[in-house]
Amino acid sequence: MALPPLAAAASSQADRLYSHCCYCSMQCGMDLIRADNEIGWEIKPSQLFPVATGRLCQKGLNALGHVVHPDRLLSPMRRVAPDEHARASWQSASWDHALDDIAARMKAIQQQYGNDAVSVFGGGSLTNEVCYLLGKFARAALRTKHIDYNGRYCMSSAAAAQLRAFGADRGLNAALDEIPKAKYVILAGTNIAECQPTMVPYLLEAKKQGAIIVTIDPRRTMTSKIADIHINLQPGFDSVFASGLMHVILEEGLHDSRYVEAHTSGFADVREAVRAFSPDNVSHYTGIPKEVIRTVARGFAQAETGLIFTARGLEQQVNGVEHTLSYINLCLVTGKIGRPGCGFGPITGQANGQGGREHGQKADQLPGYRLIEDPAARRHVASVWGIDPDELPGKGVSAYELYGKILDGEIKAMIVLGSNPLVSSPNSARVAEALQKLELLVIIDMFATETADYAHWLLPSSSFLEAEGTLTNLEGRVFHRPKAFETPGEALEDYKIIGMLAEKLGRGRYAAYASPEAIFDELRLASAGGIADYGGMSYTRLKEEKGLFWPCPSPDHPGTPRMFENGAFLHADGRAKLHPITPMEPAETTDRDYPFILTTGRLGNHYLSGAQTRRTAALLKKAAVPVAEIHPHAAERILLRPGDRLRLTTRRGSLVFDVKVTADIHPTSVFVPFHWGGEHSINLLTNDALSPISRMPEFKVCAVRLERVGQEA
Ligand code: SF4
């Protein structure tokens, strides 16, 4: 079916509309301008948003590509293939018919197996309003405890670490405009130049002002090319290296003892924990020269100001929480928190990765970053929702564990909204096996994703340009994104779909809203008094003030761009907690059969599972298929020849990729990007070991065998 032309929502006469990019957590502002081209519109950077003003990267500039793609779902679709496990064959249906059938099947499943037999899987690119509504829909309409989302695969280790250390997880605890004031910046396991490209000018400005930039990564990434020092660290050794830095700082008395004494607890335990991590020992474990360890430790500690940013490189590991805490410790002992040019921050990946984890999509959370098992939190949220606190379900299981529950027979149905778990989950053959077992799988999306191959119903949703709402960027800045275009065909905004389904389930009063603003007004109340307090925000304020930083507890509160000023941490004693870290090995270590380390990550031209960017011609042509990167020493070891491809075999399976030999990767490691499905899906090979604290899967480290696949094969 051909896609109808884009219809401007605000005014059919408008020649210029405003929105925000749908990719990455920078959430750059964009202008949509009428143009004499195939689409009728083009995207230009906007001057209006005070973040990355006037800049867009390639993804942002091409963000219309998927919106007008002919693959867009334009009506509800029902699977009609006689064999449920054959590739899907679909028949269009009316909304009424679709929702009647889905609701009837859900009710029957819940009657037979209990409320928890129906589960919900959300996403980190949805608006705050939809995240909030989805959590409420699961708990109050479906009355199931089983809801989690793909942010579990993204930010959960960083979130757990920040909550443990500071008592709050607000992504960056300083606004981006603090970066140029920093004199020392450590970027650990974060490839900003490819993942958040419009953040790079902030780093370049810092450099111009004299800052030293250090990157720590198993790959010499585009980000490391702007660094003064690059630490080529083997995946899994993050806490070992950070412990070496801490050892030097404490041994040489470079810590800020006044700050430590006044604002932290746990210092003596940290001193003890790093005692054995002398530069000699750390150099022995990591191969990083001891002089370099001393240089970075002294440089960071002695700099007047400094920032540390981390990301998935060190977080997506079974020890990801501990790795993150190691770096938080460094900020705390040197007093580099809560003052200009200082701070810590995990760089959020997904568009609304921050807001997505604040308002109740997580298995253990209620809105406002409240814990679902906290009786006071339950009372507060239940009163906003108009239900008895005892009616609220308890804590469910994490995203990947949902699939285990399906395989165990406990979960029989799933609704997936704005996510493609078949491509983004680790050990994805097991996820496919689980999806296949579901009695009902409903996908709400713009496209028939790889996960949709297992669905019984596809419900067509809106693109980012067709849905109004708020999002929270990597800084904790909440902003309003207007609706620019009408939804095509019979596609609907997510909040309407959820509301209609709740109605069919006989629980409409828990999900019926006239507008996203009405949802936001309730979200404000539900979050008020919580950690992520949006209580003082309103659409009017967000529009007029171009966003507000949480916490913002009252209408006259200016918001909080810089967290933890004067050591005001959110633990009961007002102090930050230092955590002694004992570095541990990854779940899978190398051996004779699997002698290399597989690590995965992003490319600059793609986003998440690629459902949108692989449908954008300008982006796809820059990276059509994943290419494995190996070091020349590894190539030599496996006798790789020009023209060969590379077979990767882990304990979970075997795949063949095109290969690039580059000295930019650690000799022990192979890197493969994760934006593809099917035979290109590296997550068929990744390890599904989970962090015992955050339940984050270990995407970044597993043991792998490499073999050449010659042209003769
Ligand atoms: Fe900005 Fe990120 Fe979009 Fe690029 S992908 S335009 S950096 S929001």
Side-chain angles (χ1 to χ4, degrees):
M1 198 187 301
L3 198 71
L6 286 174
S11 154
S12 57
Q13 302 304 312
D15 289 327
R16 180 182 285 259
L17 303 166
Y18 178 73
S19 190
H20 288 263
C21 177
C22 53
Y23 303 121
C24 115
S25 54
M26 289 293 287
Q27 285 298 294
C28 304
M30 54 171 55
D31 290 328
L32 296 137
I33 298 166
R34 246 184 234 283
D36 186 15
N37 62 21
E38 242 187 335
I39 300 175
W41 295 87
E42 65 181 352
I43 290 176
K44 297 270 190 210
S46 170
Q47 303 296 325
L48 289 181
F49 193 49
V51 179
T53 307
R55 297 184 203 106
L56 289 172
C57 75
Q58 281 308 304
K59 283 205 290 280
L61 288 169
N62 289 290
L64 274 169
H66 71 279
V67 175
V68 298
H69 196 279
D71 283 357
R72 279 288 298 267
L73 295 171
L74 299 178
S75 68
M77 306 289 275
R78 177 188 198 133
R79 175 192 289 278
V80 289
D83 174 0
E84 291 269 305
H85 309 314
R87 257 204 89 89
S89 168
W90 300 99
Q91 192 175 61
S92 163
S94 69
W95 275 106
D96 244 1
H97 175 60
L99 297 175
D100 279 341
D101 184 72
I102 292 166
R105 289 166 78 168
M106 282 185 170
K107 279 191 211 166
I109 286 169
Q110 289 193 311
Q111 252 167 24
Q112 188 174 351
Y113 303 105
N115 289 344
D116 293 337
V118 176
S119 61
V120 177
F121 195 101
S125 300
L126 307 170
T127 62
N128 290 324
E129 289 77 358
V130 174
C131 295
Y132 170 81
L133 181 58
L134 200 60
K136 183 179 176 188
F137 169 78
R139 272 74 176 238
L142 287 172
R143 291 168 283 183
T144 177
K145 67 180 178 186
H146 284 313
I147 173 167
D148 213 58
Y149 79 124
N150 66 9
R152 180 72 68 171
Y153 298 160
C154 193
M155 294 304 298
S156 56
S157 286
Q162 294 219 81
L163 285 168
R164 278 171 152 67
F166 306 133
D169 154 42
R170 203 204 57 186
L172 312 191
N173 43 54
L176 287 169
D177 58 15
E178 301 277 8
I179 296 174
K181 298 176 202 153
K183 294 296 173 209
Y184 211 97
V185 181
I186 295 179
L187 306 173
T190 173
N191 183 6
I192 288 167
E194 288 206 71
C195 303
Q196 294 81 18
T198 60
M199 191 173 156
V200 171
Y202 292 93
L203 295 167
L204 293 176
E205 184 56 30
K207 207 166 157 159
K208 208 163 113 190
Q209 304 294 328
I212 300 293
I213 296 179
V214 178
T215 51
I216 304 166
D217 201 293
R219 297 166 67 220
R220 197 175 299 279
T221 61
M222 277 169 65
T223 311
S224 67
K225 306 228 156 86
I226 64 165
D228 300 276
I229 300 171
H230 174 64
I231 310 291
N232 191 213
L233 192 69
Q234 180 174 324
F237 280 78
D238 306 273
S239 295
V240 175
F241 182 73
S243 295
L245 298 180
M246 182 66 89
H247 179 102
V248 173
I249 289 169
L250 300 188
E251 182 192 52
E252 299 188 6
L254 303 177
H255 59 289
D256 183 340
S257 50
R258 277 214 325 230
Y259 187 90
V260 168
E261 209 166 299
H263 300 302
T264 71
S265 61
F267 179 69
D269 293 338
V270 169
R271 185 188 279 284
E272 191 53 37
V274 299
R275 199 174 292 283
F277 289 83
S278 65
D280 275 338
N281 285 343
V282 172
S283 182
H284 172 74
Y285 293 133
T286 63
I288 308 298
K290 57 188 177 189
E291 299 74 22
V292 174
I293 299 166
R294 285 199 186 278
T295 299
V296 174
R298 288 171 185 158
F300 182 71
Q302 290 175 330
E304 187 191 326
T305 53
L307 286 158
I308 297 181
F309 294 134
T310 62
R312 307 310 80 74
L314 61 84
E315 296 157 18
Q316 286 179 324
Q317 301 186 34
V318 292
N319 305 309
V321 179
E322 292 84 348
H323 293 328
T324 311
L325 284 167
S326 301
Y327 281 96
I328 292 176
N329 284 346
L330 290 170
C331 282
L332 287 170
V333 301
T334 56
K336 289 188 170 60
I337 289 273
R339 58 188 177 87
C342 292
F344 172 83
I347 308 289
T348 298
Q350 294 197 68
N352 196 27
Q354 184 63 41
R357 65 183 188 268
E358 294 169 355
H359 298 297
Q361 266 194 110
K362 268 178 102 176
D364 56 350
Q365 268 182 19
L366 289 172
Y369 233 131
R370 290 181 156 91
L371 291 177
I372 201 163
E373 296 200 319
D374 171 6
R378 293 170 69 85
R379 278 196 300 277
H380 174 80
V381 174
S383 74
V384 175
W385 290 357
I387 59 175
D388 190 302
D390 291 340
E391 277 186 62
L392 279 174
K395 183 166 124 176
V397 299
S398 73
Y400 185 73
E401 290 169 298
L402 287 173
Y403 300 102
K405 294 280 177 201
I406 299 170
L407 290 168
D408 291 347
E410 192 175 322
I411 292 176
K412 304 285 184 187
M414 181 178 265
I415 303 175
V416 177
L417 173 54
S419 188
N420 189 6
L422 185 62
V423 177
S424 56
S425 301
N427 189 14
S428 53
R430 182 168 177 266
V431 173
E433 196 189 325
L435 293 172
Q436 215 162 48
K437 231 184 136 192
L438 285 169
E439 290 179 20
L440 177 65
L441 175 61
V442 179
I443 305 283
I444 306 174
D445 207 297
M446 284 184 283
F447 301 108
T449 60
E450 286 80 358
T451 307
D453 280 352
Y454 297 87
H456 302 85
W457 278 101
L458 308 181
L459 302 180
S461 71
S462 48
S463 77
F464 75 109
L465 292 174
E466 298 149 7
E468 182 186 24
T470 63
L471 295 97
T472 306
N473 80 347
L474 75 173
E475 308 166 282
R477 186 193 305 255
V478 186
F479 63 92
H480 174 261
R481 187 185 71 193
K483 173 173 172 146
F485 297 116
E486 296 296 348
T487 45
E490 291 172 43
L492 291 173
E493 290 115 295
D494 298 330
Y495 84 94
K496 290 184 182 166
I497 300 172
I498 298 168
M500 286 158 54
L501 182 55
E503 183 68 39
K504 297 280 187 188
L505 288 163
R507 307 282 288 179
R509 64 188 180 282
Y510 298 114
Y513 296 89
S515 65
E517 185 169 10
I519 304 173
F520 188 80
D521 284 342
E522 187 181 294
L523 179 160
R524 293 166 53 197
L525 299 177
S527 76
I531 295 173
D533 190 336
Y534 287 29
M537 300 181 190
S538 64
Y539 269 27
T540 306
R541 279 195 77 188
L542 293 178
K543 287 179 202 171
E544 281 172 1
E545 299 179 46
K546 309 263 184 278
L548 285 162
F549 289 82
W550 70 257
C552 178
S554 61
D556 57 355
H557 192 284
T560 313
R562 187 185 299 134
M563 299 278 282
F564 318 131
E565 280 189 295
N566 306 312
F569 295 99
L570 272 69
H571 289 305
D573 62 1
R575 289 171 176 266
K577 285 196 172 92
L578 289 159
H579 289 258
I581 301 302
T582 306
M584 305 285 281
E585 289 194 321
E588 234 178 53
T589 50
T590 55
D591 57 22
R592 217 172 56 178
D593 293 334
Y594 302 98
F596 292 94
I597 297 162
L598 168 62
T599 192
T600 67
R602 296 169 191 243
L603 298 179
N605 290 303
H606 286 288
Y607 180 64
L608 303 184
S609 74
Q612 295 161 44
T613 51
R614 283 187 277 121
R615 289 183 170 89
T616 304
L619 299 174
L620 188 64
K621 87 175 172 209
K622 290 185 180 158
V625 292
V627 177
E629 293 178 14
I630 60 170
H631 192 273
H633 292 169
E636 205 178 305
R637 250 172 94 180
I638 63 166
L639 307 175
L640 192 83
R641 297 184 203 151
D644 283 351
R645 301 185 79 214
L646 185 69
R647 181 184 307 283
L648 275 68
T649 304
T650 69
R651 290 185 173 85
R652 290 149 294 279
S654 189
L655 291 172
V656 176
F657 291 92
D658 290 346
V659 59
K660 176 180 166 190
V661 179
T662 169
D664 285 344
I665 187 163
H666 196 279
T668 57
S669 304
V670 51
F671 168 82
V672 183
F674 57 61
H675 309 290
W676 284 266
E679 61 179 10
H680 293 312
S681 180
I682 192 61
N683 276 327
L684 284 162
L685 307 190
T686 48
N687 191 0
D688 55 9
L690 304 180
S691 156
I693 301 169
S694 67
R695 317 309 284 163
M696 164 73 86
E698 187 150 68
F699 291 102
K700 284 294 185 280
V701 191
C702 72
V704 64
R705 180 165 66 245
L706 304 181
E707 293 158 295
R708 63 174 288 268
V709 179
Q711 288 169 320
E712 68 276 12

